[in-house]
């Protein structure tokens, strides 16, 4: 079973996608330019969709195609006077449905839980504890990265989860990481997850998309 994509990582599948074969180029440069409107990073419009290829990647960076999945905004709803958008489709771990909206640069759900942001705030905004297993913290990267996927090459920011494994003598790198790369005008480009009992990890790579 997958290393349980945290609540944060699951919800963040809502966002965007774009064009070409995957080769992750982790070229980082300080993000000093003014940020586009946050709505551009979240495909919050009914009918928007994203299609992804899922790969299993071993410790030698060999990739094996596993399956293809998709996500789309199926409808919107008003909750306490705010318009939320309902994401449907599959993720690396489980089907996802949930009201989501942009709130002053933060992606939030209908409980007000913050998922990620484009505000420049790099402090830890979410901590999830799996008692006896791991402590998972989430924050936005200070830097942008150029990420290549089948849909193309994009300058992205990373909503990164740091997973500190509590098991004694854990045989693989510790902590492990969950990456969620978003691009302006597209959404979620590239995402990782991992198996708790394996050094291998999964990559979710954008193949095509449509933003209404």
């Amino acid at each position: 079973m997958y290393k349980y994509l945290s609540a944060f990582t699951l919800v963040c599948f809502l966002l965007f996608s774009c064009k070409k074969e995957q080769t992750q180029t982790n070229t980082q440069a300080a993000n000093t330019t003014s940020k586009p409107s946050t709505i551009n990073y979240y495909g919050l419009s009914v009918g928007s969709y994203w299609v992804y290829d899922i790969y299993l990647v071993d410790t030698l960076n060999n990739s094996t195609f596993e399956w293809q999945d998709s996500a789309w905004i199926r409808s919107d709803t008003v909750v306490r006077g705010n318009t939320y958008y309902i994401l449907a489709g599959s993720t690396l771990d489980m089907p996802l449905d949930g009201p989501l909206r942009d709130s002053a640069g933060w992606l939030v759900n209908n409980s007000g839980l913050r998922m990620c942001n484009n505000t420049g705030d790099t402090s830890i905004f979410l901590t999830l504890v799996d008692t006896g297993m791991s402590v998972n913290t989430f924050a936005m990267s200070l830097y942008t990265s150029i990420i290549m996927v089948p849909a193309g090459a994009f300058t992205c920011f990373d909503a990164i989860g740091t997973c500190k494994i509590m098991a004694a003598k854990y045989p693989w790198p510790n902590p492990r990481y969950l990456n969620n790369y978003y691009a302006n005008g597209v959404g979620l480009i590239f995402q990782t997850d991992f198996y708790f009992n394996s050094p291998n990890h999964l990559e979710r790579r954008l193949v095509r998309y449509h933003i209404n």
Side-chain angles (χ1 to χ4, degrees):
M1 177 174 166
Y2 304 147
K3 188 262 151 224
Y4 63 95
L5 252 176
S6 75
F8 164 80
T9 311
L10 288 175
V11 176
C12 277
F13 266 85
L14 134 36
L15 300 94
F16 303 57
S17 317
C18 269
K19 300 176 183 144
K20 170 126 195 153
E21 175 101 57
Q22 197 280 346
T23 301
Q24 182 184 2
T25 306
N26 197 21
T27 306
Q28 295 187 324
N31 186 11
T32 56
T33 59
S34 60
K35 296 179 183 300
S37 171
T38 55
I39 197 70
N40 292 345
Y41 285 92
Y42 311 143
L44 301 182
S45 56
V46 176
S48 294
Y49 66 82
W50 304 265
V51 178
Y52 300 90
D53 283 343
I54 311 299
Y55 286 84
L56 178 67
V57 183
D58 66 20
T59 56
L60 298 178
N61 208 35
N62 298 310
S63 298
T64 302
F65 176 78
E66 295 288 299
W67 72 90
Q68 188 173 87
D69 69 13
S70 60
W72 63 95
I73 305 297
R74 69 178 187 184
S75 61
D76 57 19
T77 186
V78 176
V79 181
R80 295 184 294 274
N82 295 307
T83 300
Y84 288 80
Y85 296 85
I86 310 301
L87 177 69
S90 59
T91 71
L92 288 178
D93 202 19
M94 61 182 3
L96 174 65
D97 293 279
L100 300 157
R101 73 181 178 97
D102 176 74
S103 176
W106 288 88
L107 181 67
V108 301
N109 67 10
N110 61 326
S111 297
L113 179 66
R114 290 177 170 182
M115 306 299 173
C116 50
N117 76 71
N118 183 41
T119 67
D121 185 345
T122 58
S123 60
I124 292 172
F125 60 84
L126 179 63
T127 299
L128 299 173
V129 178
D130 188 351
T131 304
M133 296 292 289
S134 63
V135 176
N136 312 302
T137 57
F138 295 87
M140 305 305 297
S141 172
L142 179 63
Y143 303 98
T144 57
S145 300
I146 298 174
I147 302 297
M148 295 184 65
V149 291
F154 303 91
T155 299
C156 305
F157 65 79
D158 184 14
I160 184 169
T162 301
C163 305
K164 175 64 177 177
I165 311 300
M166 306 307 293
K169 299 181 179 179
Y170 187 67
W172 299 295
N174 192 10
R176 300 184 74 170
Y177 299 96
L178 301 170
N179 300 98
N180 304 273
Y181 287 97
Y182 302 99
N184 180 35
V186 186
L188 182 64
I189 300 297
F190 180 87
Q191 187 173 45
T192 66
D193 191 14
F194 63 87
Y195 293 98
F196 184 83
N197 61 350
S198 168
N200 300 333
H201 70 277
L202 294 168
E203 293 183 355
R204 194 174 194 243
R205 307 168 184 173
L206 182 65
V207 176
R208 62 183 183 273
Y209 72 100
H210 171 77
I211 306 298
N212 266 353

